[in-house]
Every structure is written in C-alpha cells, then in structure tokens.
Amino acid sequence: MSVRLLARLAAAALVLLAATAARADDDKVLNVYNWSDYIGKDTLDRFTRETGIKVHYDTYSDNEILDAKLMTGQSGYDVVFPSATPFFAQQLKAGIYRPLDLSKIPNAKGLDPQVMNSLAKVDPGNAHGLPYLMSATGLGYNVDAIKKLMPDAPVNSWRMLFDPAVVSKFKSCGVTLLDTPTEVIPAILAYLGHDPLEQTPAALQTAMKALMPLRSNYRYLNSDKYRSDLAGGDVCLSHGYVGDLVQVRNRARESKAADRPNIAIVIPKEGAMVNIDVMAIPTDAPHPDAAYAFINFLLRPDVIADVTNQVGYANAVPASLQYVQPAIKSDPVIYPPADVKAHLFSALPPAPPGFDRLRTRAWTRFRTAKED
Amino acid sequence: MKAPAIARNRGGAGRGAWGRRVVLALPFAWLLAFFLVPFLIVATISLATPRVGIPPYVPVFDWSGGHLWPSIHADLSTFSLLFQDELYVGAYLESLKIAGISTLLCLLIGYPMALGIARAAPNRRGPLLMLVILPFWTSFLIRVYAWMGILKDEGLLNSLLQWLGVIHHPLVILNTDIAIYIGIVYSYLPFMILPLYATLERQDPALLEAAADLGARPWRAFLSVTLPLSLPGIVAGTLVVFIPAVGEYVIPDLLGGGETNMLGKALWDVFAMSRDWPTASALAVAMLAALVLPLALLSRFQSRMEPAEDGK
C-alpha cells in the first residue's frame, strides 16, 4: 500500500469520524434496527410525538444479517433486537453491547422476573439486554390434510416431525423444517428424551444419527418459505416460530379462497425452545440517551400491549395484559398455560469453541443428504 | 491478415497515447478498487484464526508491536480443512456440474434463437432482440418467485398438463434439482443469446453462398462455416453464463429443496451459522482460484480466435 493511498484512507476515515461526531451531537435522532413486521403501526409515531426524537427505522429478516453488521463494527445503530440465544449471547462475549444504566429505564421494573431469570443465564444480572417479545418454536399444520392421511396423528408431539413411522405418512402433502441447527437439534433431543440444551459432540452425534434417515421426508429446509406455503396449502406440516405461525393462521383465516387451509398450531408436549428477542444498545451507539428513552417507551404497558396485539408475539410486561386483546391473551400458543410453560426451555448457551464448526458441517451434510 | 491490426495499434501510440492511457486506466482502476482490493482483504481473512470479538478473527497483520513491520499470524488450517472435508469438495463439484449442465442447456436453446434473430429481416431484428431483453424490466427476484407459482404441485404447469391429460398426478418439480436448472437456464439465457447474436449477425452471408456453390448442403455449411466462425460468441456466452452460475445462491435457495450442495449456500452456512469468517473466506478464495484456471484457458482460446474474425 503506497503512502499516498494510506494518506487518502486516513482522510476518508477522518471525514467519517467527523460525520459520526456530528450525528452524536444531534440527540433528537435515533437509529433503530429491528426485525421486519415486528412493531405496531403507530408505535414510532407515538414515540416521536411524545419525545420529539426522530426515528430512522431499518429492518432485517435474519439474525445472521444483524450479526454480520454488528460484528463488522460502526453499524451506527442505537437499538437492536437480537435473539437471546445463540446470537445475543455470542455478541455479548465479543463485547459489542453497552452495559445498561437501569436508572434511565424505570419501566424495566415491570418486567416478568421469570423471563429476566432465564435471560440472566446468558447475560448475568441482565446487565446488557432487556426482553422485548418472545415466542416458542412449535408446529403448524393443515388440520384437514393431516386428518386425511392419519386420523389419529399425535399432533401435540414432536413425533409428528421426528418419528419415522409418523412423518413418512405426511411426506406426500409436504413437511418442512427450519433451516437452523440451533432450533432443530434441541427439538429432536427433546423428542429423544435427552437434555435439549446439551452441546457436546456426543449429543450432536445422537441428534444427527436420528435426523439423517429422516431427510427424504422433508420437502425442504427453510426458515422463511414455509410461511406462504403453509398458508397457501402447498405444504401441510411445518416446524416454525409460533409468532410466525400465528400470522400464517390469521392469513389463512382471512383468505377468501374456498379451499383455504385450516391451520392449527401446537407447542409439542416434550418441550420446546422459547426465543426471547432482546433490546440492546451497541457500545458504539451514537445516541445512547435516545436509545434509553426508546427502550423505556417500549416497556410501557400500553405501548407493548399494542405491539403484542398487532404482531402476535407475547411480551414480558405482565401489567400490559390488561390491554392485550382477550383472544390473544387466552391463546395457549402465544401465552402458554403454566403446565406447558414448565416444559419450555430457553437460553441455549453459546457453543463451546470449535463446536460451532462441527455443528455447521453436520448441518450442511444433513441438508444436502441425497435420497437413496 | 494480422497486418492491419498491428498498424492500427501503432497509429494509436502516437499523439493520442495519453488519452488512450487514461481511457485504459479507468477500467483498471475500477478492477483494482472493486475486485483486487476486496479479494486481497478476503484472502487475508482466509489466513486468520477465528475468535469471539470484533472482528470475529485474529487479524493476520498485527501492527501493535510498534515496529516498522507487523507481526504475522497466518494460519493455513482453514485451507487444509476444506480439502479434508468431502463436504466442500463435493459442493465444488456439484456447483461445477450444475453450472456446466445449465450452460450447455443455455447454449443449445440460445444458439438457434440467436441464429434465428441474426437471419431475420433487418427490420425485425430490433424487436426480436427487444423481446430477449424484455424480462430484465421485471426484477430478477420477482421472476424467480413467478417460477415458484408455475412449478408448484398445483401450479400452472401441472394444471395445464393435467387438463391436457398428459399426466394424472401432479409432477413434483418445485424444490428439486430440475427446478434449479429451469431457474438458472431461464435467468441466464439472455446472457448467452446476446454475444452469440453479436457474432452471428456479423457473419457475411456470402460465405454460405460460397459453401452452397461448392456443393455443401445447408447442414454441412452450418457445421463447417457458421459454427466455427461463431466460436468467439460461444466462448463469450459460455463464460458469462458459467461463471455466475457456479456461485449462484438465490435460485437454488428459492427453487431447490436444499439438498443441492452448492458453494454459495455452503459458504453462507460457514459465514453466518458458525460465524467462521476465515473458513468462509478460504472457501471463496478456493472457488475463485478454481475458476481462474478454466477462465484463463478459455480467454486464451478466445484471443486466438480474434485474428480469424478480423480477416473475414
């Protein structure tokens, strides 16, 4: 690299720094990076009206995209919403989040201690992140299609996906899996009666040994496509995020088509993963004070209830329940009853070094396994 | 045959040499900034060791020692990992296979179309070419989604075939390799047709008349005159289709069922699922290195064709 090029790069960096500094001066602005379809329609307007802070709002559809941006550094975002595990947990270890000053988030006192405790497993003392919304991972199925192929199908069990004798019956109408080892492996370990959160080569081998012969039963592995295919009747059984499945169910109900599918959602009785999406402030956030104000605003019972009503994900603010629509509050897959809750597991700890590599390769091998 | 070309080059070396150099420097600067520099960055990361932190790898060049030279932490283990694991070798071979078959199909479908357009009446060529380019007016992604609607079990194709009585049960096409081939061939066909058309259109019809006068039947004339003269177009079209098809990610993801082990997806898995930037970079470097060889051979081949073109 020549000296002149270096000098130019330095100049460019200075310009960038100056620009960042200028943005930091202006504390009436907030840069938010959130999941798509994950906030109320008027939530941002209300925030701007009440605080005078203007919100730049960007969305993503994969934890991986958020991760890549944050890990590169200087993302420019003030508030982000990573899933607690494994993403938030791993990002924490890299030191990319600012310790929260809870005196600036008085509404945090209203958070459910149970949720806070499970989050504390990856973030001791809840120092860096507070829960936003959460959802279990479960099954969505087309009631009529499943009944036709197997009238006595064990619909409330992971057997639907992982018992060779059961899942092979549904092959013809289309079965799909999430394309995420951190969801599928805990699920099949739960089905096999193992500790779902164990991350050792032995547990991985147990899971993959059970999964490999099942590959030809799954039409595809994808974390996105199943939503439109299930709603449109192109597949009949999908492993999916309950919040997404609720949106699928609503879409199918609202459809005018004569053959619109009747979608049911279950949280399998063997236990299922719960995903908590966390609100966190990156260390290099240009407007930390606006970020605190935004998080505090989102934790206000009437505000977060409004979000839950619109997106179908449960929140962690018990006082908000009085504003949540009865149909959502009483929905056992959105707000699971105590007996189901007891079987839910969350907070898959970050994988030990080297395990990630092993798991990814096992997963690619599983996904690309050819039918014999 | 070569003399006029050389003379032309010499003529350019006189007064206009500076202007010429500037014009040539622009694409070089472009390649340097947007290809070579990013490639060197990726190549450097491929030698690093992953870690938890920002960035998620240990930088290869460490300047913190305060010396004029950095201390170097290079690690070749990522590359040995690639070759030890049949998974990645398999992904490479499968990507080559899918890109190769797709390119061949594009050539077989595109050649008659290009020839047809080149032989059409001059006032019809414009509209025909327009039709080839027309799909680009719609977003690529939307066209791939449209294929999902056509190919699915209860989609347009199956409905049509069932209505015609050709089949009685829907064919499973979506989420299989066949759908991937259809998607790639459909998407890349215009890139094959355009260079083919460009060479075919320039061919002198008198050559075919001469062949006919010498007693060649049309088929023979095609094989010994048209086809050899269109080789530069075939090479260009093949390169333009084959190279991006090897790294194709979107089409297999949307139309395939996931069991297709292509490099693009394998790379994404490594990069995003295990956040292993060094191994992902090593995969990218290996892919590029493996593509450069056939590419260099083909372009040498193409440059040998050039004089023949000049001397028509």
Side-chain angles (χ1 to χ4, degrees):
Chain A
M1 207 182 275
S2 74
V3 176
R4 203 190 293 170
L5 185 57
L6 265 178
R8 272 191 207 152
L9 280 179
L14 274 178
V15 170
L16 273 178
L17 272 178
T20 325
R23 276 165 85 191
D25 283 344
D26 179 14
D27 233 359
K28 286 292 178 192
V29 174
L30 175 73
N31 304 322
V32 178
Y33 200 32
N34 195 0
W35 294 87
S36 47
D37 302 322
Y38 213 44
I39 198 156
K41 283 194 184 71
D42 57 345
T43 312
L44 299 177
D45 285 342
R46 269 174 83 183
F47 177 69
T48 305
R49 234 180 293 135
E50 288 182 19
T51 59
I53 298 172
K54 206 168 156 256
V55 183
H56 295 298
Y57 192 77
D58 292 337
T59 61
Y60 53 89
S61 56
D62 282 305
N63 262 311
E64 285 85 358
I65 306 279
L66 170 69
D67 189 72
K69 278 209 183 179
L70 292 174
M71 295 311 289
T72 318
Q74 299 292 335
S75 67
Y77 290 111
D78 300 302
V79 183
V80 293
F81 298 75
S83 295
T85 60
F87 288 90
F88 173 63
Q90 267 171 352
Q91 289 154 359
L92 263 184
K93 280 181 45 198
I96 64 171
Y97 291 120
R98 182 185 286 259
L100 294 176
D101 178 357
L102 285 185
S103 71
K104 292 181 176 165
I105 315 174
N107 289 337
K109 285 192 207 77
L111 281 163
D112 185 347
Q114 216 182 334
V115 179
M116 293 291 271
N117 280 339
S118 75
L119 202 53
K121 280 186 220 156
V122 295
D123 177 23
N126 300 107
H128 301 84
L130 296 173
Y132 175 55
L133 298 176
M134 53 201 176
S135 155
T137 309
L139 297 174
Y141 63 95
N142 182 325
V143 177
D144 303 312
I146 295 292
K147 202 177 267 171
K148 209 166 95 190
L149 291 169
M150 191 181 185
D152 57 343
V155 290
N156 63 343
S157 163
W158 283 121
R159 286 180 60 204
M160 293 287 280
L161 272 190
F162 300 131
D163 184 340
V166 178
V167 69
S168 59
K169 287 207 167 71
F170 308 133
K171 189 181 168 181
S172 61
C173 69
V175 184
T176 72
L177 274 191
L178 289 172
D179 190 5
T180 313
T182 48
E183 291 290 349
V184 177
I185 291 171
I188 196 164
L189 286 176
Y191 159 74
L192 293 170
H194 281 263
D195 172 8
L197 300 180
E198 187 180 331
Q199 301 191 86
T200 60
L204 179 67
Q205 210 187 350
T206 310
M208 297 322 290
K209 215 176 128 195
L211 269 175
M212 268 312 200
L214 295 171
R215 176 62 181 96
S216 65
N217 292 303
Y218 308 123
R219 189 165 293 179
Y220 57 75
L221 276 62
N222 193 298
S223 305
D224 219 27
K225 266 203 282 195
Y226 73 91
R227 294 189 285 186
S228 54
D229 284 350
L230 192 61
D234 296 311
V235 301
C236 64
L237 173 62
S238 288
H239 179 217
Y241 301 107
V242 168
D244 285 348
L245 291 170
V246 167
Q247 290 177 15
V248 168
R249 190 177 62 188
N250 293 344
R251 212 189 315 167
R253 272 184 195 156
E254 287 156 13
S255 157
K256 300 273 186 299
D259 58 345
R260 62 174 187 267
N262 178 12
I263 304 291
I265 307 168
V266 287
I267 299 175
K269 62 172 197 264
E270 295 90 345
M273 187 88 135
V274 177
N275 293 281
I276 305 172
D277 286 322
V278 171
M279 299 181 277
I281 307 179
T283 318
D284 53 12
H287 318 104
D289 285 324
Y292 281 122
F294 189 61
I295 292 175
N296 194 48
F297 173 77
L298 285 179
L299 289 177
R300 221 168 69 192
D302 60 315
V303 174
I304 195 77
D306 200 39
V307 175
T308 292
N309 285 335
Q310 292 188 49
V311 302
Y313 279 77
N315 66 63
V317 182
S320 75
L321 279 175
Q322 55 180 312
Y323 308 108
V324 173
Q325 288 160 11
I328 289 179
K329 200 163 33 177
S330 62
D331 193 323
V333 294
I334 301 179
Y335 281 100
D339 58 321
V340 178
K341 241 179 169 168
H343 293 291
L344 295 178
F345 42 86
S346 62
L348 188 70
F355 184 75
D356 261 340
R357 220 178 231 187
L358 211 62
R359 180 167 58 195
T360 302
R361 280 157 68 184
W363 188 251
T364 307
R365 197 166 289 137
F366 165 64
R367 190 200 308 110
T368 57
K370 292 274 188 281
E371 291 179 37
D372 303 314
Chain B
M1 266 186 190
K2 271 188 174 177
I6 291 169
R8 209 162 53 215
N9 282 344
R10 288 228 177 103
R15 244 181 348 156
W18 265 106
R20 200 183 154 88
R21 263 180 217 167
V22 170
V23 170
L24 279 179
L26 276 173
F28 274 107
W30 176 272
L31 278 176
L32 186 76
F34 297 107
F35 175 74
L36 197 61
V37 171
F39 174 73
L40 287 178
I41 294 174
V42 170
T44 316
I45 297 176
S46 74
L47 297 174
T49 321
R51 68 161 179 195
V52 179
I54 300 180
Y57 55 88
V58 182
V60 172
F61 299 108
D62 184 3
W63 297 87
S64 64
H67 303 291
L68 214 52
W69 297 105
S71 50
I72 295 175
H73 312 282
D75 180 2
L76 281 168
S77 68
T78 49
F79 283 95
S80 62
L81 189 86
L82 293 188
F83 293 107
Q84 276 163 20
D85 200 327
E86 85 286 357
L87 191 64
Y88 300 122
V89 177
Y92 177 66
L93 293 178
E94 188 154 350
S95 299
L96 285 188
K97 185 188 104 187
I98 289 181
I101 293 177
S102 306
T103 309
L104 192 67
L105 289 173
C106 277
L107 186 62
L108 290 178
I109 300 169
Y111 201 97
M113 288 175 77
L115 194 62
I117 299 172
R119 299 275 162 86
N123 61 342
R124 288 212 192 131
R125 286 180 202 162
L128 285 173
L129 271 184
M130 198 66 195
L131 285 176
V132 172
I133 303 168
L134 204 62
F136 289 116
W137 290 12
T138 315
S139 151
F140 160 74
L141 210 57
I142 289 176
R143 286 182 282 133
V144 176
Y145 270 101
W147 273 107
M148 292 167 79
I150 295 173
L151 297 177
K152 67 182 184 180
D153 291 5
E154 279 133 38
L156 287 174
L157 182 65
N158 273 314
S159 309
L160 180 72
L161 290 178
Q162 277 174 309
W163 181 74
L164 289 173
V166 182
I167 51 168
H168 299 288
H169 298 286
L171 300 170
V172 178
I173 304 174
L174 191 61
N175 302 315
T176 65
D177 280 6
I178 298 172
I180 298 179
Y181 284 121
I182 292 176
I184 294 183
V185 170
Y186 163 77
S187 303
Y188 288 102
L189 192 58
F191 298 109
M192 181 62 92
I193 294 177
L194 293 177
L196 280 175
Y197 169 77
T199 46
L200 287 171
E201 194 255 350
R202 274 185 296 168
Q203 274 180 26
D204 192 340
L207 291 172
L208 285 181
E209 284 165 24
D213 288 348
L214 293 170
R217 291 165 176 279
W219 184 240
R220 178 71 206 271
F222 171 77
L223 284 182
S224 48
V225 178
T226 312
L227 191 64
L229 283 179
S230 65
L231 263 179
I234 295 177
V235 171
T238 303
L239 285 178
V240 173
V241 172
F242 181 77
I243 292 169
V246 173
E248 186 54 58
Y249 172 77
V250 175
I251 295 173
D253 196 47
L254 290 177
L255 298 179
E259 72 269 11
T260 315
N261 186 13
M262 282 186 80
L263 272 174
K265 184 74 176 169
L267 202 149
W268 167 255
D269 281 356
V270 176
F271 177 79
M273 257 179 208
S274 50
R275 202 203 271 156
D276 187 348
W277 291 19
T279 307
S281 305
L283 254 174
V285 170
M287 177 166 114
L288 193 92
L291 273 180
V292 159
L293 193 71
L295 200 145
L297 282 177
L298 267 173
S299 72
R300 262 193 67 169
F301 180 69
Q302 195 183 17
S303 62
R304 262 196 293 151
M305 302 304 300
E306 292 292 314
E309 214 186 314
D310 275 349
K312 70 174 177 184

